[in-house]
Amino acid sequence: MPLALLANIGNAVALRADGTAMMLSVAAAALIALNLVIFMVFTQPANAATENWTVQPENWESLRAQWEYSHAVNAAVTLLAFCCATLASIR
């Protein structure tokens, strides 16, 4: 994902002459950045608390829900980023 962020920033720079394509690339980069934030705030803490799901702490059910919802939201965010990047590239 960090490389996808850099690639979308590079795409925005390369497409700066086309305002719409550049904005789509910026949106894709912002969505990838959001993906990384969601991972660091919600997914990674659940992984750490369960030692990558090898330990079952007392609150494992709430951690599992947090982990699952963060993955679902990240899937939607990544799909939107992909759509923005694709639209920017085919303009």
Side-chain angles (χ1 to χ4, degrees), residues 5-79:
L5 175 63
L6 292 175
N8 281 298
I9 291 170
N11 202 35
V13 171
L15 297 172
R16 67 184 173 274
D18 182 347
T20 303
M22 183 190 72
M23 290 310 296
L24 285 166
S25 292
V26 169
L31 287 164
I32 294 297
L34 177 62
N35 176 295
L36 291 168
V37 169
I38 291 169
F39 177 82
M40 295 307 289
V41 172
F42 297 105
T43 310
Q44 181 55 32
N47 287 338
T50 60
E51 297 180 26
N52 288 319
W53 301 98
T54 60
V55 173
Q56 186 176 12
E58 291 292 322
N59 64 338
W60 74 271
E61 290 173 331
S62 64
L63 287 170
R64 182 185 67 189
Q66 174 181 321
W67 185 85
E68 288 176 353
Y69 288 128
S70 68
H71 274 44
V73 170
N74 264 347
V77 168
T78 303
L79 176 63

